[in-house]
Amino acid sequence: QVHLVESGGGVVQAGGSLRLSCTVSGYTIQYYAVGWFRQAPGQERETVTTISRNGHDTYYADSVKGRFTISRDNAKKTVYLQMNALKPADTALYYCAAQRTILTAPLSIQAASYEYWGQGTQVAVSS
């Protein structure tokens, strides 16, 4: 069983930065693509960014391009989300999720294709 735990959320002023971490246990992270997703109250879940199992491919939603960076350290079993120039519109509950995949598979950006999910960490950006 794959277990994911997010951390690093908090309250920050607009323009500030946060770094979220997603620590994976229970299996070898190198076999999994990982994504960050978010959901604000009353809104649908949104794909923020995803990264392939070897880190060579990434996807970013248009709303975060140039501000957010996803990275992974398979040795530490951790995936990071560096968030800069935060906006009030970034306020949401942020989840990480993992998808077992093969090395040559295209990177999925669909939340429904990710099998394992963490409990989420709250990010609040004040104006």
Side-chain angles (χ1 to χ4, degrees):
Q1 183 70 24
V2 177
H3 187 57
L4 296 90
V5 177
E6 303 95 337
S7 61
V11 181
V12 64
Q13 288 190 333
S17 298
L18 284 173
R19 189 176 81 156
L20 305 184
S21 298
C22 173
T23 302
V24 182
S25 61
Y27 212 86
T28 306
I29 190 177
Q30 67 195 56
Y31 297 125
Y32 291 82
V34 178
W36 285 97
F37 306 83
R38 66 186 182 187
Q39 188 165 20
Q43 297 187 23
E44 294 187 354
R45 185 172 50 189
E46 173 189 16
T47 302
V48 178
T49 177
T50 60
I51 188 167
S52 60
R53 51 183 274 179
N54 59 9
H56 290 177
D57 296 318
T58 57
Y59 161 82
Y60 293 94
D62 287 343
S63 58
V64 306
K65 278 181 182 176
R67 299 189 299 121
F68 290 13
T69 303
I70 190 171
S71 61
R72 63 190 295 160
D73 185 335
N74 286 348
K76 294 183 177 179
K77 299 184 179 182
T78 303
V79 175
Y80 304 99
L81 179 60
Q82 178 66 44
M83 305 187 296
N84 298 329
L86 282 160
K87 306 174 181 179
D90 296 318
T91 295
L93 187 61
Y94 283 72
Y95 300 90
C96 68
Q99 177 200 40
R100 178 74 185 249
T101 185
I102 60 175
L103 197 57
T104 55
L107 180 61
S108 174
I109 65 172
Q110 302 298 326
S113 66
Y114 285 76
E115 308 139 271
Y116 303 100
W117 290 77
Q119 294 299 308
T121 185
Q122 183 68 45
V123 172
V125 184
S126 61
S127 57

